[in-house]
């Protein structure tokens, strides 16, 4: 099974749509609560990253036997220092985004903590491709 | 604590209409959504000043049952509608996050860091 969601940069009112939709789907499929929770957290953070930092992106969600696979490809500024981006507390979010309660510097760390494998390919000025796996 | 008991003790004005009077076991206080996303316990009461619609998405994803808006913060109509749709209770109180936390803690609601 697979699904693709389009994410528009800056559109906070739609943020969380893809992760909510997937959460409902995983519940319907009867997956264990802890797996659903992990997938929901990782996907929400990935959506917020696109909304807060990129211009637009697509999130592809796939279930294969034993695994949930998610890939988020965006057009955006890219990440100049990946190690810093994975450091809890580090954020480049704007003050407007912070006022909304985002930009705690926990996005990528939260994704890493809730997934079994994660990879990021990024090019400054072009965009970022984030992929993660959750074992079922 | 029962939700009805919380409503009475902190003078909570419920904005989402009818509610199921369930038991609240855990509480979490935060104004950072990623922090809530990462650490709030399931079935908990979230005490916050954040009153916009992204809070509902996070509450839904984290299975938070009630959002307590402190310092008399009020959500807009769209946020209320979204909460009703997802079955999440939202209420607003004049008390601060500190006061609400103290009252809930004394009432038996506990913290749990996940």
């Amino acid at each position: 099974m697979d699904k693709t969601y389009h994410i528009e940069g800056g559109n906070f009112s739609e943020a969380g749509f893809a992760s909510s939709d997937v959460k409902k789907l995983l519940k319907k499929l009867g997956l264990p609560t802890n797996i659903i929770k992990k997938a929901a957290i990782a996907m929400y953070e990935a959506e917020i990253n696109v909304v807060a930092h990129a211009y637009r992106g697509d999130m592809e969600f796939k279930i294969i036997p034993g695994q949930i696979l998610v890939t988020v490809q965006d057009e955006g500024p890219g990440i100049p220092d990946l190690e810093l981006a994975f450091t809890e507390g580090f954020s480049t979010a704007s003050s407007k985004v912070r006022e909304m309660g985002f930009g705690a510097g926990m996005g990528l760390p939260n994704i890493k903590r809730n997934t079994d494998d994660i990879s990021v390919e990024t090019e400054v000025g072009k965009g970022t491709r984030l992929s993660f796996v959750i074992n079922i | 604590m029962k939700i009805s008991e919380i409503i009475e003790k902190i003078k909570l004005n419920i904005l989402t209409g009818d509610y199921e009077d369930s038991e609240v076991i855990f509480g979490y206080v935060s104004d950072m959504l990623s922090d809530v996303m990462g650490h709030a316990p399931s079935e908990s009461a979230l005490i916050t000043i954040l009153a916009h619609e992204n809070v509902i998405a996070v509450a839904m994803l984290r299975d938070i049952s009630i959002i307590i808006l402190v310092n008399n913060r009020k959500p807009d109509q769209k946020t209320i509608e979204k909460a009703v749709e997802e079955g999440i209770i939202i209420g607003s109180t004049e008390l601060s996050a500190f006061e609400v936390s103290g009252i809930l803690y004394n009432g038996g609601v506990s913290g749990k860091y996940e």
Side-chain angles (χ1 to χ4, degrees):
Chain A
M1 172 187 294
D2 67 301
K3 274 188 125 172
T4 303
Y5 299 90
H6 182 71
I7 307 163
E8 209 47 50
N11 187 355
F12 279 95
S13 65
E14 287 297 316
F17 175 81
S19 27
S20 303
D21 196 53
V22 166
K23 187 185 177 187
K24 285 171 191 162
L25 180 79
L26 297 179
K27 254 188 175 167
K28 238 184 250 169
L29 291 174
L31 264 72
T33 324
N34 65 323
I35 301 289
I36 298 177
K37 203 176 209 175
K38 281 169 139 190
I41 294 173
M43 287 188 71
Y44 182 76
E45 293 290 5
E47 264 188 277
I48 291 298
N49 278 348
V50 175
V51 174
H53 299 286
Y55 315 129
R56 65 193 65 83
D58 284 307
M59 178 183 266
E60 199 187 300
F61 162 85
K62 202 182 273 185
I63 306 184
I64 59 165
Q67 286 184 322
I68 294 171
L69 311 171
V70 178
T71 302
V72 187
Q73 172 82 55
D74 73 45
E75 284 172 45
I79 305 169
D81 188 332
L82 264 181
E83 200 181 319
L84 259 181
F86 272 98
T87 308
E88 201 154 309
F90 176 81
S91 175
T92 57
S94 66
S95 54
K96 184 190 151 226
V97 169
R98 284 171 203 261
E99 272 168 30
M100 293 179 76
F102 298 108
M106 290 175 73
L108 284 171
N110 267 354
I111 297 174
K112 197 175 177 188
R113 198 178 304 123
N114 286 284
T115 55
D116 296 292
D117 191 35
I118 178 170
S119 72
V120 183
E121 290 160 49
T122 185
E123 196 177 331
V124 174
K126 284 234 162 133
T128 300
R129 182 186 174 88
L130 161 77
S131 309
F132 56 81
V133 178
I134 296 165
N135 294 331
I136 303 172
Chain B
M1 273 174 108
K2 285 268 192 204
I3 288 185
S4 54
E5 204 183 338
I6 293 176
I7 292 172
E8 190 203 320
K9 290 264 167 64
I10 65 170
K11 294 189 179 65
L12 191 66
N13 176 22
I14 297 291
L15 306 162
T16 41
D18 292 342
Y19 61 90
E20 194 188 326
D21 196 13
S22 52
E23 187 81 20
V24 174
I25 301 167
F26 300 113
Y28 200 74
V29 191
S30 186
D31 301 318
M32 293 305 291
L33 288 174
S34 281
D35 177 45
V36 177
M37 203 62 209
H39 304 299
S42 297
E43 315 294 335
S44 60
L46 173 65
I47 300 162
T48 187
I49 56 167
L50 294 174
H52 57 80
E53 59 189 312
N54 293 105
V55 183
I56 309 301
V58 171
M60 184 260 168
L61 290 165
R62 273 319 280 209
D63 295 318
I64 284 165
S65 41
I66 178 166
I67 299 168
I68 299 173
L69 298 175
V70 295
N71 300 356
N72 216 11
R73 296 269 181 148
K74 297 268 168 41
D76 58 21
Q77 196 52 37
K78 213 172 150 201
T79 303
I80 296 173
E81 281 165 18
K82 211 169 164 186
V84 172
E85 209 177 290
E86 297 293 351
I88 295 161
I89 307 166
I90 306 187
S92 176
T93 173
E94 284 180 3
L95 301 183
S96 71
F98 182 81
E99 291 168 298
V100 170
S101 304
I103 292 167
L104 264 61
Y105 199 90
N106 282 334
V109 177
S110 64
K112 183 172 100 174
Y113 184 79
E114 288 204 344

